[in-house]
Amino acid sequence: MQTPWFIPPSDFWGRLSGSARAVCSETGQRHSYNKGQVIFPAGAPADHVYILLDGRTKIYALSGLGRAVILWFCFPGEVFGLAEVTRAARREVYAEACAKTTVLAIPQRAFMSLIEAEPTSATLLIELLSCRMRGLTSMLVNLTNDDVTTRVVKLLVRLRARYGKTQCDDVSVIDIPLTHQEIADMIGTTRQSVNAVLNELKRQGLLTMQNQYIQIHSEQQLYHMINQLQSTADDHPQPV
């Protein structure tokens, strides 16, 4: 299982040229949000692009039954609210602060003018959107092909690739706090199912959890488990 597109969070803000940051600062407005506040809801006009200056934001959609499906998290330096910006349509997803958060809201027209004037900025956006597209594609394939255990283990590997900090040897910690419900919302299952899988992984000595942080004891063993689960699934295909 290779995860080349699960790169560390992209520091779009830090990689912009000084002149581009100046334009963003001049045309944008800073807004602060407390944990749980919605930055924009689905259905709202897509008239701004947001750069996350501080905190953490989750991007999610709601199913027809009102269930949240987390698409990705944004961290300081990242940009979000891009999907509809070229056509000024209405939002199709929600953005919600996961902690005390500060964003720079840049008007859609000003942001488009910046991209047209700064080709390097456009390249950074293409890189970011490509990464997100590949991640969402992988998520969709996992939802249709894998059982809950495989989905949880693959998610841990992807989160480790994107947010992991090595502590020693093969031991690392996923450096974002995650509730069991958030994990469930990322892989389309229930909190109870996630709880059962994580407890089994803890029993096997593959991970521990403390204060909503997950410590992975052996990434190689997680890869081995994925291969075993996929081999079993290939040997016993589900009826169509």
Side-chain angles (χ1 to χ4, degrees):
M1 178 181 175
Q2 298 181 353
T3 55
W5 55 88
F6 292 97
I7 58 174
S10 61
D11 186 13
F12 177 81
W13 181 242
R15 294 171 67 186
L16 284 177
S17 66
S19 59
R21 284 198 299 273
V23 169
C24 290
S25 297
E26 290 169 4
T27 59
Q29 290 187 325
R30 293 187 179 222
H31 301 282
S32 296
Y33 300 87
N34 292 321
K35 181 179 179 179
Q37 279 191 288
V38 173
I39 298 171
F40 59 74
D47 48 10
H48 287 81
V49 171
Y50 298 85
I51 294 176
L52 186 59
L53 301 178
D54 187 50
R56 182 165 66 104
T57 300
K58 65 180 177 182
I59 309 300
Y60 66 94
L62 291 180
S63 71
L65 298 175
R67 180 172 178 172
V69 179
I70 297 177
L71 303 174
W72 61 78
F73 290 98
C74 291
F75 288 80
E78 292 195 278
V79 59
F80 62 97
L82 291 167
E84 305 87 0
V85 70
T86 58
R87 49 195 176 93
R90 292 190 175 272
R91 303 290 184 190
E92 296 186 6
V93 297
Y94 293 78
E96 180 182 312
C98 300
K100 190 170 180 59
T101 294
T102 303
V103 301
L104 182 64
I106 305 167
Q108 182 253 357
R109 289 185 179 179
F111 191 79
M112 290 302 298
S113 296
L114 169 66
I115 297 305
E116 291 170 0
E118 292 261 359
T120 302
S121 302
T123 301
L124 293 176
L125 287 179
I126 292 171
E127 178 185 303
L128 172 64
L129 292 173
S130 297
C131 175
R132 288 178 180 170
M133 182 178 68
R134 292 298 301 273
L136 291 174
T137 300
S138 178
M139 180 190 298
L140 178 60
V141 172
N142 293 162
L143 284 172
T144 56
N145 291 344
D146 298 332
D147 60 19
V148 174
T149 299
T150 307
R151 275 183 267 163
V152 171
V153 177
K154 283 185 176 180
L155 177 65
L156 292 175
V157 170
R158 291 195 293 267
L159 291 173
R160 157 65 181 83
R162 184 163 169 76
Y163 307 116
K165 287 190 175 180
T166 301
Q167 295 182 317
C168 61
D169 297 330
D170 199 25
V171 178
S172 58
V173 63
I174 297 172
D175 197 31
I176 55 172
L178 291 168
T179 66
H180 287 190
Q181 186 61 59
E182 286 177 323
I183 294 172
D185 290 343
M186 283 188 278
I187 59 173
T189 189
T190 64
R191 181 181 57 81
Q192 292 82 356
S193 296
V194 167
N195 187 58
V197 173
L198 291 178
N199 283 338
E200 176 59 22
L201 295 176
K202 286 190 286 186
R203 188 191 67 79
Q204 295 181 36
L206 296 177
L207 59 82
T208 54
M209 293 190 69
Q210 185 174 11
N211 297 328
Q212 299 181 349
Y213 287 89
I214 300 174
Q215 183 186 61
I216 296 175
H217 295 173
S218 175
E219 185 178 18
Q220 291 304 314
Q221 288 187 37
L222 290 182
Y223 278 116
H224 181 65
M225 176 177 284
I226 290 170
N227 291 332
Q228 284 186 319
L229 290 166
Q230 290 181 329
S231 177
T232 300
D234 291 340
D235 293 339
H236 302 88
Q238 296 296 315
V240 178

